[in-house]
Each structure stands twice: as structure tokens, then as C-alpha cells.
Amino acid sequence: MAGRRARTGRGWDASPPRAGDDNTTPRPRRGRRGRSEEADPEATPAPPRDEAEVAREICLRQLAVRPRTRAELAGALAKRGISEEVSAQVLDRYDEVGIIDDAAFARAWVSSRHAGRGLARRALANELRQRGVDGDTASEALGELDEETEAETARALVDRKLRSVRGEPDAVFRRLVGMLARKGYPPGVAIRAVKDALAAQSAEAAEFADQIDADALADAEGELDRDNRVPE
């Protein structure tokens, strides 16, 4: 109605009408930023990403966390739906330029895990196998950890543990041998390391250690271990 002001939900609209506006034609709704909510008919969807590019990004994100073996990267790509063909192409290229190097990975893994966790060759071989390192590559890396170094590490682990362990010598002996066994040390190495450490600890422990026939006990433990080992 002419001469009357339109009523709105927030009060009277006192603004003058614009030219050509008869207050009856609905205006298009706009978003908060003033853009029409209607879709742009000229907009085109983004082209699909190249599968190899996606595969490379996945590999680089994995490698940014820590070094990976080829098998680990292949598993990550498979989980993300990358085809075997593209996966092989990308990983072959990474092999060529040295981004993937299972031999270097195995050497670094053996060095760091032995120094940091005191793991022996048996436990390290199992970890490398779980990460997809082939047997020959793993054996070469494990060959750098000689028996003398392994025995010295076992003794150092026992000496450190003896500072906090309490109990009768026989209980302490079993506990420490078990600790070394869990870290992959063979029975002979574990028993000799614990016997020598107990002999140097106290008179009571030394007396107990003198009664231990390390060779016979190691043979018995070795037979029991072979009987209980699950076939691979």
C-alpha cells in the first residue's frame, strides 16, 4: 500500500524503495558473504588426481616418520587402494634413486636396536623379518654384530639390572636369564653372563654361582628351546 512502511520482523523498514522495485518481486537469497546460493553452472569439477602422484605422497609421508623397507611402503600403498602396477613403478623408482635401501635399513636397525634396547641377533632377525627384509639382507646386517659384542652387551644388561633386583640368588638367576632370553640371547650366553655377574656381586651369590654348570645348563635350555620353538 502506497505511503505506508513495510513491517519486518525487526521493526519498520524506513528505507525508500528502489527504482523498479514494487515490493512484490522476491529477491534471490544470498549467503553470509553476499554470494548467491545458486550453483555456478559454468563451474567444472577438479580433474582426478594421478594415481602415481598419490602413491608418491603416501610414501613420502611414511618416510617422514622413520625409514621404511620396501615391503612396509608396499603395504601402506595397498591399504590406500593403490594398484600393484603403480605401486611397483613408484617403489622401483625409489629403489633406483636410493630413497629405499633395505640393506642400509637393516644395518641401521641392527645397530640402533642393539645399542638402545640391547637386543641380540635372534630378536633382531625376527624384527627384520616382520618388516619385510629378506633373509640374505638380514643375515648380512646381523653379521656385523659379532659374538664378543653380543656377550659384552648381555653382561652389561645383567650388571645394570642387578642394581635394582632383589631376592635369593637362585630367584635372581632365573629372573636375569629370562630377561636375556626375551631379548634374544641364546641360553649359553645368557647363563654365563648371569653366572659371572653373580660371582662378582657378593660372597653368597658367588657361592651359588660356583654351583652352576653353565655348559650343561645351556645344553638343557637349548634342547628345551628347540622343542618349544614354533615352526616358521
Side-chain angles (χ1 to χ4, degrees):
M1 182 179 296
R4 296 183 63 181
R5 292 175 293 182
R7 182 81 175 188
T8 68
R10 292 178 295 177
W12 293 98
D13 184 1
S15 58
R18 293 175 294 180
D21 188 356
D22 59 0
N23 293 328
T24 60
T25 303
R27 301 174 185 175
R29 296 178 61 189
R30 296 180 178 272
R32 293 185 177 181
R33 298 183 179 180
R35 295 182 178 179
S36 173
E37 295 181 354
E38 298 179 0
D40 185 354
E42 298 182 358
T44 56
R49 298 184 63 191
D50 180 66
E51 188 178 11
E53 179 185 354
V54 176
R56 286 190 291 269
E57 289 184 1
I58 294 171
C59 289
L60 292 176
R61 285 198 298 269
Q62 291 283 314
L63 293 168
V65 178
R66 67 165 175 81
R68 309 273 180 175
T69 64
R70 180 183 178 114
E72 288 180 309
L73 292 176
L77 293 176
K79 289 181 180 178
R80 295 292 299 274
I82 303 299
S83 66
E84 293 184 4
E85 181 181 0
V86 171
S87 176
Q89 291 175 356
V90 171
L91 296 179
D92 285 345
R93 178 56 179 166
Y94 280 4
D95 273 331
E96 292 176 5
V97 300
I99 294 178
I100 302 175
D101 187 339
D102 281 5
F105 174 93
R107 290 192 298 270
W109 187 271
V110 168
S111 178
S112 64
R113 296 288 283 176
H114 179 75
R117 296 288 303 278
L119 299 184
R121 284 174 292 185
R122 180 174 170 181
L124 292 168
N126 184 53
E127 290 188 342
L128 291 175
R129 182 169 58 251
Q130 291 175 350
R131 283 155 183 79
V133 178
D134 66 77
D136 291 340
T137 302
S139 296
E140 183 177 351
L142 292 167
E144 299 183 6
L145 179 59
D146 57 41
E147 294 182 359
E148 183 178 355
T149 300
E150 197 173 53
E152 291 174 353
T153 303
R155 175 60 188 273
L157 289 170
V158 172
D159 288 341
R160 184 161 61 246
K161 191 68 175 179
L162 273 175
R163 300 170 188 168
S164 58
V165 70
R166 297 291 183 270
E168 296 296 323
D170 59 338
V172 171
F173 174 80
R174 291 193 301 271
R175 182 175 178 182
L176 294 178
V177 170
M179 180 265 292
L180 292 178
R182 289 190 295 274
K183 290 182 177 291
Y185 289 89
V189 174
I191 291 169
R192 291 184 183 88
V194 177
K195 177 179 178 178
D196 293 344
L198 289 175
Q201 184 188 37
S202 66
E204 180 183 7
E207 182 179 356
F208 172 81
D210 287 340
Q211 302 172 9
I212 298 174
D213 186 338
D215 292 333
L217 187 56
D219 290 341
E221 291 289 339
E223 291 178 2
L224 180 62
D225 180 65
R226 286 190 294 273
D227 291 341
N228 293 333
R229 188 176 303 175
V230 178
E232 297 178 358

